[in-house]
């Protein structure tokens, strides 16, 4: 028998706020400037859903630690500028949140500072205040299950009673590894086929999330 849902865990970037398009553009620009040319598709495959630390490891392997440090610093600066200029919430997220009656929280690869900034800019921070968890709090980022298990523990809910709303392949893999059901949002940058798999429901319109949750 499938456990009733007791907690909905939301990823942040690409699920609540439309930051992924901004991040991809910044990463492509940095790669061109610092010596690792990457296409948008390559950035999505390599970086989307990964923690800042994991991305740094990849850059260091290609360009060395010193350049990786420069890359990281410039990314934070350019990303913040772009967020201030053009960030928007994911289409339909306010309607979705108003229709979700279950307890919710956020578990993101981003830092708390980044989430305060992005969620704050879009008016979403107060909705989740006190229930926001970052990969900086655990030993391993996605696709490891650590972050989602940490969020479930902090929210005092059995992992088997949690569902995760994610838009990246590493995030979906982390949910499965944590023993949680996943809702793969394919309305963003990651193609649906990269999210498909066991215990995963694919959807393209965030407004449909409350109904999908009720059907479980």
């Amino acid at each position: 028998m499938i456990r009733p849902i007791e907690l909905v865990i939301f990823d942040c970037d690409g699920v609540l706020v439309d930051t992924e398009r901004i991040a991809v553009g910044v990463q492509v620009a940095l790669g061109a400037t610092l010596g690792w040319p990457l296409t948008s598709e390559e950035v999505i495959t390599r970086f989307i859903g990964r923690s800042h630390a994991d991305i740094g490891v990849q850059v260091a392997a290609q360009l060395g630690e010193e350049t990786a440090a420069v890359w990281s610093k410039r990314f934070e600066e350019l990303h913040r500028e772009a967020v201030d200029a053009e960030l928007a919430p994911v289409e339909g997220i306010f309607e979705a949140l108003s229709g979700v009656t279950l307890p919710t929280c956020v578990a993101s690869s981003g830092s708390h500072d980044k989430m305060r900034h992005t969620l704050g800019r879009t008016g979403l921070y107060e909705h989740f205040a006190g229930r926001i968890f970052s990969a900086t709090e655990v030993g391993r980022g996605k696709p490891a299950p650590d972050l989602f298990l940490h969020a479930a523990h902090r929210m005092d809910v059995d992992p088997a009673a949690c569902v995760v709303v994610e838009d990246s392949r590493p995030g979906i893999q982390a949910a499965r590894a944590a023993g949680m059901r996943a809702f793969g949002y394919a309305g963003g940058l990651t193609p649906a086929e990269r999210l498909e798999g066991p215990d995963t429901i694919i959807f393209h319109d965030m407004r449909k999330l409350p109904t999908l949750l009720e059907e479980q």
Side-chain angles (χ1 to χ4, degrees), residues 11 13 20 23 26-27 30 34 36 46-61 65 67-80 108-115 134-143 147 170:
D11 177 42
D13 296 312
E20 301 292 40
V26 172
Q27 298 286 24
L30 285 173
L34 296 177
W36 187 15
R46 286 178 172 274
F47 295 166
I48 292 300
R50 302 279 183 174
S51 70
H52 196 66
D54 285 343
I55 293 171
V57 169
Q58 292 188 55
V59 176
E65 296 286 348
T67 302
V70 172
W71 185 304
S72 175
K73 184 174 185 295
R74 288 191 186 174
F75 176 82
E76 291 183 359
E77 294 168 350
L78 294 172
H79 186 270
R80 179 172 285 269
S108 171
S109 295
S111 67
H112 280 287
D113 282 345
K114 180 182 176 185
M115 285 186 280
S134 166
T136 59
E137 300 171 47
V138 296
R140 300 178 298 171
K142 306 169 189 178
L147 177 57

Side-chain angles (χ1 to χ4, degrees), residues 23-40:
V24 169
V26 172
Q27 298 286 24
V28 169
L30 285 173
T33 302
L34 296 177
W36 187 15
L38 293 164
T39 65
S40 295

Side-chain angles (χ1 to χ4, degrees), residues 2 19 36 38 140 153 156 175 180 182 210:
I2 297 177
T19 47
W36 187 15
L38 293 164
R140 300 178 298 171
H153 176 73
D156 196 26
M180 302 176 182

